[in-house]
Amino acid sequence: MTILKKRLLPSKGEKMVYDVICKSIELSGYSPTMVEICDELGMSRKSTGCIGRWVDGLVELDMVRRVPSIPRSIVPVSMMADLDKSGVDIDVTEDHA
């Protein structure tokens, strides 16, 4: 019988993406697009699939949420309370797709 362990820490790529998302929100007030994340990390714009997998990993680790009611919807969990206080509708669903 195989027991699967849940990861507790992000990979290096996930951490880089997380940092870009946080920086973008702090500077501009909204999260970056996948292409903007690629640009910020110096990756080809064709690398959005890789970025998407890293974002999916961050969702699994409960570090970010995708918020359906907000364009550019990747929001770090640590910033969710700040958005809620600002009056932004952050109806977060369990659908992480």
Side-chain angles (χ1 to χ4, degrees), residues 8-70:
L8 299 176
L9 298 173
S11 68
K12 183 178 177 181
E14 291 166 345
K15 177 68 172 125
M16 291 187 310
V17 169
Y18 181 81
D19 291 343
V20 169
I21 293 167
C22 291
K23 178 181 167 187
S24 176
I25 292 173
E26 288 172 3
L27 295 175
S28 65
Y30 50 86
S31 60
T33 64
M34 296 291 189
V35 170
E36 290 170 341
I37 294 171
C38 287
D39 290 345
E40 184 69 26
L41 295 177
M43 298 173 71
S44 164
R45 289 178 174 221
K46 294 179 181 180
S47 299
T48 56
C50 182
I51 299 299
R53 285 188 296 278
W54 284 336
V55 170
D56 290 343
L58 292 170
V59 170
E60 288 176 18
L61 290 169
D62 202 31
M63 292 179 69
V64 301
R65 298 262 170 84
R66 289 190 171 123
V67 184
S69 61
I70 300 176

Side-chain angles (χ1 to χ4, degrees), residues 78-92:
S78 62
M79 294 182 171
M80 296 289 288
D82 294 336
L83 288 175
D84 191 33
K85 290 176 188 172
S86 70
V88 174
D89 179 17
I90 55 168
D91 180 27
V92 179

